[in-house]
Amino acid sequence: MQATGLYDDIGGGKSTGFQFLQEIGLLLPYENRVRFDEHLLLPTSQHSRPLQYLMSSLMDMESKPDFKDSMKHLRHDWGSLPVYCIDGASAHEIDDGLSVERANSANSASPEWWAHIHIANPTAYLPRDHPMSKMARHMGESVYMPERAYMMLPRWATQGHFSLAPDRPCLTFSARLNERGEIIEQKIRSGLIRNVTRLTPSEVTQIVGLNRDQGEEVVLTVGGTPPPGPERISPVPNMKPQDVENLKALQLLAERRATFRNAAGGLFFNVQKPEVAVWQSYNKTGLGWEHPYRNGSRVVHGDPIIRATTSPLRNWFSAAQNTSADILVREMMLLACEISTAWCAERQIPTIYRGSVAKADLMPAEEFYKSTVAPAMALNDGEMPLHIALDYLRHVGSIVLTTKPLKHRLLGLDHYGKVTSPLRRYGDMILHWQIEAALREEARTDTSLVTSDRNALRSFLPFSESVLKTIILGLQPRESIVSRAKASAEKFWINMLLFRAHHYGEAELPQTLRCYVPQAGWAGFSLNVVAEELNLDFRMSRPERGNVAVMVGDVWECKLVSVNCYDTFRMVEPIRLVSRYDGVSQVA
């Protein structure tokens, strides 16, 4: 790079090196650098030869997988019971499905229902030392980026064997609920589902009939017209009256569960993140699997189509942010998570529990609520202002992983652990392995493992408490790395879209933006703000000297001045103060 003499005036940092590799054709000019992060260490990043060998061996297994069901003798056949799998039309791995049955007479004065949450069950076929399990432990979870998906388990295995579909295995978490949403009884069973219907969230909202206004949709596109999506034949016209009744019963129970959690201190919010899609060819979304090209120079023609679908900023904590399908799916998944960990806690089974711990350097959450949140809600028609709610989240505490039950204050649950996505999260697989081992032991001994003895012998489990503590030490940081990588990838493609729109005029952008200040914290000479028209975050520079001070809760009129694709930030310049929060606020 130095020998060319072409980069002397822009420095020799990592960004310059990345630009050089793009300009000689080794990397694509629109390559997302997150893919090559040595900390993320994706199998395709070419950082680890053993990891590449492991990935190749998993692909070779497709012709002869040799899966054996360790729970075959215990599976409950759900027969004709309808199972509703609610997910986007483009989803390939279906982790979960829902069923409901009346637990007592329809004419009962105190109606009760059995809600069943059926979860995909790969762990019944994959021992913890299976090569796929080893890859899952390395990955931690699937990494979804707009241009590619890096799966924790091979797609041929999930789609061909484990994803929920007719005649597929599952692990079912069942709760007997009363009309207030309280759990009266709970069960966990290995199962086999037969009668499966796939629905999209919008179809469920249509069936249940409780749609809420989601505001105007904003679509930004550069590079041409995106190809049409695959045609989908909706099952809604053929739904039977019993299906409609079932979904309405599930919706009712979900809303009662939400009320129950809210009374226990649970918070509800919906960030409404923009959706980003990328097309390199007309046949399918995403980019191809090009590896760094090391055989000479390379010329790349054209740029991909990028589309961002968003909506104007609305208060994340507003009840209007949730559609019927949002509430239904969210509450049923949380119910499964609560059942799984409460079931393990009753049996003194160590697993990966998740809960919140207060931050010692902050005011207790209850005190902050009384002094700040409650007065703010009184001034805002009973709704938390967004910047106050975000500050309250900090006071609620940090989420930690532990081997013992711990109250999750943010969710309002005494027991919580992730269990609903074993096709894409390793932590969920661990919980499934522990539960399956306990189910086999209870069947072998014909005795319940429920006990108050904290020292009860649990040698039949695949993971001891000490082993789990070691796994947690790596899993929690890994989850943080993956979360940041996914957010960075989405931000990169939005930046690429804005870069092409702002600097090359490929799409029309608003002349100015109304930028909301959600939190305090200047980073040098810029502050994080959110453009209300696009619900996208930007960095706002400091107002000129003599201008009014920036306060949390402000709305400023700004203009876009630059977009940096490498460091994934976009800079706006303040023009004038538009509005200021009426209540007590702080200097940003």
Side-chain angles (χ1 to χ4, degrees):
M1 184 176 73
Q2 291 177 338
T4 66
L6 300 175
Y7 301 88
D8 297 341
D9 58 336
I10 58 174
K14 284 187 176 181
S15 61
T16 307
F18 195 81
Q19 179 182 340
F20 171 69
L21 294 178
Q22 289 179 310
E23 290 181 345
I24 65 173
L26 189 136
L27 298 177
L28 293 173
Y30 40 80
E31 187 64 79
N32 174 12
R33 70 184 178 94
V34 176
R35 170 190 175 190
F36 301 103
D37 187 338
E38 63 269 23
H39 301 293
L40 186 60
L41 199 60
L42 294 172
T44 57
S45 65
Q46 301 185 354
H47 286 308
S48 168
R49 197 167 293 278
L51 196 57
Q52 290 177 249
Y53 289 149
L54 177 58
M55 182 177 68
S56 297
S57 70
L58 297 186
M59 301 313 294
D60 292 341
M61 288 181 187
E62 181 175 4
S63 59
K64 191 177 180 182
D66 195 29
F67 292 136
K68 292 182 174 60
D69 185 2
S70 64
M71 304 300 291
K72 184 177 181 179
H73 59 298
L74 296 177
R75 292 207 181 275
H76 172 75
D77 193 329
W78 289 99
S80 61
L81 181 72
V83 177
Y84 308 103
C85 295
I86 305 169
D87 214 329
S90 61
H92 297 291
E93 288 76 31
I94 306 301
D95 282 291
D96 51 80
L98 307 174
S99 299
V100 66
E101 298 177 285
R102 283 301 298 251
N104 58 8
S105 170
N107 300 320
S108 172
S110 301
E112 296 175 359
W113 296 263
W114 276 104
H116 307 293
I117 303 97
H118 311 281
I119 306 298
N121 195 204
T123 50
Y125 298 81
L126 304 175
R128 58 169 288 193
D129 58 353
H130 191 279
M132 285 191 195
S133 305
K134 292 178 180 178
M135 177 61 83
R137 179 167 181 178
H138 165 76
M139 289 285 292
E141 60 183 273
S142 294
V143 182
Y144 296 97
M145 299 183 187
E147 76 276 22
R148 301 179 187 94
Y150 303 88
M151 309 307 297
M152 183 184 77
L153 297 175
R155 209 161 236 164
W156 65 261
T158 55
Q159 293 184 9
H161 299 272
F162 305 136
S163 183
L164 292 189
D167 304 321
R168 289 277 177 89
C170 64
L171 190 61
T172 301
F173 301 86
S174 305
R176 184 169 182 162
L177 302 170
N178 62 22
E179 58 185 341
R180 294 183 298 278
E182 298 167 329
I183 299 176
I184 300 169
E185 184 183 351
Q186 60 192 25
K187 295 179 184 177
I188 301 180
R189 283 176 283 185
S190 294
L192 198 64
I193 54 174
R194 308 283 189 183
N195 183 12
V196 179
T197 301
R198 283 197 59 180
L199 295 163
T200 65
S202 60
E203 288 168 346
V204 172
T205 298
Q206 176 186 345
I207 293 167
V208 175
L210 293 174
N211 193 21
R212 295 173 172 85
D213 178 28
Q214 291 297 288
E216 181 184 355
E217 192 174 73
V218 179
V219 180
L220 298 174
T221 306
V222 294
T225 303
E231 289 189 18
R232 170 178 164 78
I233 300 175
S234 173
V236 174
N238 299 319
M239 298 290 277
K240 299 175 183 177
Q242 184 61 51
D243 293 315
V244 176
E245 185 179 329
N246 289 343
L247 287 165
K248 287 187 174 181
L250 285 167
Q251 177 68 28
L252 172 68
L253 293 173
E255 292 182 352
R256 299 293 165 82
R257 286 293 300 167
T259 302
F260 182 79
R261 289 197 306 107
N262 183 252
L267 284 175
F268 309 94
F269 59 95
N270 188 343
V271 178
Q272 292 285 345
K273 293 194 304 180
E275 296 181 2
V276 189
V278 180
W279 289 267
Q280 188 180 29
S281 73
Y282 203 76
N283 298 326
K284 62 179 181 179
T285 58
L287 302 183
W289 288 93
E290 292 94 342
H291 294 294
Y293 186 78
R294 300 183 175 93
N295 298 324
S297 63
R298 174 172 58 169
V299 177
V300 178
H301 297 280
D303 293 302
I305 297 172
I306 310 171
R307 183 182 67 197
T309 305
T310 182
S311 57
L313 175 67
R314 303 177 76 176
N315 190 336
W316 299 351
F317 297 81
S318 168
Q321 283 286 74
N322 295 306
T323 64
S324 303
D326 290 333
I327 298 170
L328 196 162
V329 174
R330 179 192 69 203
E331 293 302 325
M332 289 298 115
M333 295 306 103
L334 288 175
L335 179 59
C337 293
E338 183 180 9
I339 292 169
S340 66
T341 44
W343 191 91
C344 288
E346 289 176 340
R347 290 159 176 78
Q348 306 300 324
I349 295 173
T351 189
I352 298 180
Y353 299 91
R354 297 167 190 260
S356 52
V357 293
K359 296 180 179 178
D361 58 335
L362 293 177
M363 181 191 302
E366 295 84 357
E367 188 178 334
F368 182 82
Y369 187 92
K370 291 178 183 177
S371 66
T372 305
V373 177
M377 292 176 67
L379 292 171
N380 199 44
D381 298 325
E383 197 171 87
M384 282 193 202
L386 179 54
H387 65 282
I388 299 290
L390 291 173
D391 202 12
Y392 179 55
L393 285 181
R394 294 172 51 242
H395 290 76
V396 167
S398 303
I399 307 304
V400 297
L401 276 58
T402 175
T403 58
K404 301 288 187 185
L406 181 65
K407 181 178 176 63
H408 200 298
R409 184 187 296 273
L410 185 63
L411 296 176
L413 297 176
D414 290 328
H415 303 90
Y416 177 71
K418 293 182 178 181
V419 74
T420 58
S421 297
L423 297 181
R424 57 187 179 89
R425 288 196 300 244
Y426 183 67
D428 298 44
M429 293 179 73
I430 289 176
L431 196 41
H432 278 235
W433 274 315
Q434 297 290 81
I435 290 171
E436 288 160 9
L439 288 172
R440 288 193 296 267
E441 182 68 8
E442 287 188 334
R444 185 185 69 82
T445 61
D446 197 25
T447 305
S448 171
L449 292 172
V450 174
T451 178
S452 57
D453 181 6
R454 296 187 177 183
N455 297 314
L457 185 64
R458 293 292 178 257
S459 58
F460 57 85
L461 294 173
F463 298 94
S464 66
E465 184 171 6
S466 61
V467 169
L468 286 174
K469 286 180 178 178
T470 301
I471 290 174
I472 285 173
L473 289 175
L475 184 60
Q476 190 159 18
R478 178 67 184 175
E479 289 181 349
S480 298
I481 289 171
V482 171
S483 178
R484 287 195 300 270
K486 291 191 288 189
S488 295
E490 290 174 359
K491 199 168 184 180
F492 167 80
W493 284 106
I494 290 175
N495 275 24
M496 185 67 76
L497 184 156
L498 293 175
F499 179 84
R500 289 164 58 180
H502 177 67
H503 294 288
Y504 294 94
E506 290 193 41
E508 185 176 350
L509 298 175
Q511 292 290 318
T512 60
L513 298 167
R514 290 169 53 95
C515 293
Y516 173 75
V517 181
Q519 290 177 302
W522 289 92
F525 293 96
S526 64
L527 174 73
N528 196 59
V529 295
V530 181
E532 292 186 333
E533 297 89 343
L534 304 175
N535 194 18
L536 296 176
D537 60 290
F538 291 80
R539 301 296 301 180
M540 184 178 80
S541 59
R542 288 184 183 274
E544 294 181 4
R545 287 178 179 270
N547 211 328
V548 293
V550 179
M551 306 285 285
V552 175
D554 280 357
V555 176
W556 286 75
E557 182 182 6
C558 300
K559 65 177 181 180
L560 179 63
V561 293
S562 66
V563 180
N564 185 312
C565 293
Y566 182 84
D567 291 316
T568 63
F569 71 82
R570 42 241 182 195
M571 184 66 68
V572 294
E573 186 178 274
I575 300 173
R576 66 183 181 91
L577 176 65
V578 176
S579 65
R580 174 152 287 171
Y581 173 61
D582 291 334
V584 178
S585 190
Q586 60 178 317
V587 176

